[in-house]
Amino acid sequence: APINPDLGDETIEYLISHIAPGLVLTSTDLVGSLGEALRGQVSCAVEAVVLESVVLETNDGDIPAFDPGSLAEAGGAASADPWRNVDDEAVFSICFTSGTTERPKGVAHYVGGLLGNATAFNEVYGFDGGTRMAHYFPMAYMAGFLNTLLSPCMAGGSVLLTGKFGPMTPLKFWRTLRQHDANTLWVSPTMLSAVMALDRDPDTAEGVGGHIKTICVGTAPLPASLKTTFEDRYGVTLNESYGSSELLYITAVSDSDRQSPGTVGVPLRGVVARIVDHQGNDQPADHEGEIRLRSDYSFAGYVDYANGRVEPYAAQSWFHTGDSGHLDPAGRLFVTGRIKDIIIKGGINVSPRAIEEILHRHPQVQHVAVVGVPHEFFGEDIVAAIVVSEQTPGNSVDLAKELQDICRSRLSEVEVPSRIEFLKELPLSSTGKVQKAELRRYLANGT
């Protein structure tokens, strides 16, 4: 049950006390901040082991790589198949969602679901023993747990532990990967933007395609303009997919899907997708609606904090994702946003994603998020929050007018943002998603 140390002492203590672990592992650099939570559990006869801090990177840039093959060598033939005697229906893990307004949900997964899902995804991209995955996502969340640890390990590959993606990471991003022979990586659109903005090595672009085999992008929508600009500069294709904490990998873009820009691919084997209207009726191809899913890899259930048990989820039920999208005639899925993020202005539904795509095409726009804020007459009004690139010259008032004019030329009048706010940064989760609820509160209150 990996727990993000940034959740805070109170939340961590709550989670530890309610899942009742038999063993707590932490490190010397975290034990101070986790003191209260751990002391409370140790008094309940829970064993706590404090590990020495792991040095992920030394001054000379040395980064250790974890090779799962070495475990089999160290343990002999008996360790070659570590899952041989493990029940597929045993609970493998509990991961906690990064909720901001309530206690994080504890999402439990079975052994068979997690490992089977990783294998199905690996098949699409041909991950194998030669895959060397650069690990940037937080390990406490599914992107850093399934995507960048379990997937390469199930393929028999290796993992490069890079450390947290921080302000200095983009400056040596490609150099670090080349130095340690990483050929595969998972990144978020925010990470891609940072790398492109801060990459100052004129020789980088020519070399990336020579040592990077696969780049997967997830945790947030990938703007079409960012995808095109990145691929043109570095000569490496960005592979989108779609997933959730509960159902894990859902789709992946294969070579046959690249003729349809904007798709997140077709469902993996064992996954079925359908699109329904607000009454639950199936929608025909290319019609918008809520994405509902059924998966062979669905989660075991949520943790009931009242009793500490996992409340079983009916695996054959249709899972309500809360995402909107459509399927094309070939079965490719397109995700257009969150249903709760849809802006209803004067009774008309407006898609924030459509506006964001247009604004993101402007060369001075580095990041953008569009939200609805309360309005006395329209019910909701449209506000675009924008982070401009470092090289942006001129007056923000002029840029705001220019951006509104661009929207006006390509959208209906009701879809044009009434306000454009320039921010130093957008509120992001630890996995790179824009926290729109927090942004909405800020823009509505002005604080």
Side-chain angles (χ1 to χ4, degrees):
I3 296 178
N4 178 8
D6 295 333
L7 287 176
D9 289 2
E10 182 182 347
T11 300
I12 291 172
E13 183 174 2
Y14 182 89
L15 297 179
I16 291 177
S17 64
H18 284 77
I19 62 173
L23 177 68
V24 176
L25 296 177
T26 186
S27 58
T28 52
D29 57 337
L30 293 178
V31 71
S33 62
L34 304 183
E36 289 301 319
L38 294 178
R39 275 194 291 274
Q41 291 309 298
V42 172
S43 65
C44 297
V46 174
E47 182 182 359
V49 176
V50 178
L51 306 174
E52 290 299 319
S53 296
V54 178
V55 179
L56 294 181
E57 183 165 4
T58 60
N59 291 333
D60 60 1
D62 185 27
I63 304 177
F66 166 60
D67 183 351
S70 64
L71 295 180
E73 294 171 6
S79 301
D81 181 8
W83 316 112
R84 184 179 54 196
N85 298 317
V86 178
D87 182 359
D88 277 356
E89 295 185 3
V91 172
F92 184 104
S93 65
I94 298 172
C95 287
F96 300 95
T97 62
S98 53
T100 57
T101 58
E102 56 185 14
R103 297 289 186 191
K105 288 183 178 179
V107 183
H109 278 281
Y110 295 119
V111 171
L114 265 173
L115 305 187
N117 186 251
T119 300
F121 186 85
N122 291 349
E123 290 171 357
V124 176
Y125 292 116
F127 291 171
D128 56 22
T131 297
R132 194 172 183 82
M133 178 75 74
H135 193 299
Y136 285 104
F137 287 131
M139 294 183 185
Y141 299 119
M142 199 53 73
F145 182 64
L146 169 65
N147 301 23
T148 45
L149 281 177
L150 290 182
S151 281
C153 287
M154 289 303 294
S158 55
V159 181
L160 178 69
L161 299 176
T162 60
K164 187 176 182 179
F165 191 98
M168 301 301 291
T169 305
L171 298 176
K172 53 183 179 179
F173 188 78
W174 300 116
R175 185 172 71 244
T176 298
L177 301 183
R178 186 166 52 246
Q179 179 182 356
H180 298 284
D181 299 323
N183 56 25
T184 307
L185 59 149
W186 268 95
V187 287
S188 69
T190 306
M191 293 175 183
L192 288 176
S193 295
V195 170
M196 290 187 65
L198 298 176
D199 182 7
R200 298 290 187 266
D201 186 350
D203 299 324
T204 293
E206 296 180 3
V208 171
H211 67 96
I212 298 298
K213 179 181 177 182
T214 306
I215 300 180
C216 297
V217 184
T219 75
L222 175 63
S225 58
L226 176 59
K227 175 178 169 65
T228 300
T229 304
F230 182 94
E231 292 177 345
D232 288 347
R233 180 188 294 187
Y234 296 112
V236 182
T237 300
L238 298 179
N239 299 285
E240 290 187 80
S241 60
Y242 174 58
S244 72
S245 296
E246 290 85 357
L247 300 190
L248 310 174
Y249 294 122
I250 295 165
T251 68
V253 173
S254 63
D255 290 338
S256 61
D257 303 322
R258 303 197 194 286
Q259 58 186 307
S260 300
T263 183
V264 293
V266 298
L268 300 180
R269 59 174 176 81
V271 181
V272 180
R274 61 191 287 228
I275 307 297
V276 302
D277 61 17
H278 64 280
Q279 294 179 323
N281 300 313
D282 286 315
Q283 296 290 86
D286 294 328
H287 279 63
E288 193 89 359
E290 183 192 4
I291 302 168
R292 293 188 185 176
L293 302 162
R294 195 158 59 197
S295 173
D296 290 346
Y297 319 108
S298 63
F299 67 131
Y302 295 114
V303 174
D304 184 343
Y305 291 129
N307 55 34
R309 293 194 295 267
V310 174
E311 293 301 315
Y313 170 74
Q316 294 307 307
S317 300
W318 287 98
F319 184 77
H320 297 224
T321 66
D323 292 327
S324 59
H326 64 271
L327 290 163
D328 71 6
R332 301 183 187 94
L333 181 64
F334 294 75
V335 181
T336 54
R338 293 286 293 167
I339 291 176
K340 68 179 182 181
D341 289 336
I342 291 293
I343 302 167
I344 305 177
K345 181 176 180 179
I348 298 175
N349 287 3
V350 176
S351 168
R353 177 80 183 273
I355 305 170
E356 290 164 354
E357 285 282 356
I358 288 173
L359 291 172
H360 205 281
R361 295 175 195 168
H362 195 284
Q364 293 174 312
V365 175
Q366 185 172 2
H367 304 296
V368 58
V370 173
V371 297
V373 298
H375 189 276
E376 289 185 4
F377 182 74
F378 293 114
E380 284 189 297
D381 207 358
I382 303 171
V383 181
I386 289 175
V387 177
V388 297
S389 62
E390 293 180 353
Q391 296 82 17
T392 299
N395 189 300
S396 60
V397 175
D398 294 338
L399 179 57
K401 183 179 183 303
E402 180 183 350
L403 292 171
Q404 285 179 312
D405 288 342
I406 290 173
C407 288
R408 197 166 281 112
S409 68
R410 299 176 184 175
L411 298 167
S412 65
E413 185 61 34
V414 73
E415 296 174 295
V416 177
S418 300
R419 285 166 47 200
I420 291 183
E421 297 281 347
F422 295 99
L423 305 179
K424 291 184 178 180
E425 60 184 10
L426 298 178
L428 301 176
S429 70
S430 57
T431 54
K433 294 181 182 179
V434 176
Q435 296 178 309
K436 286 200 169 182
E438 183 178 334
L439 180 62
R440 194 178 293 112
R441 285 193 296 270
Y442 173 82
L443 294 174
N445 300 328
T447 57

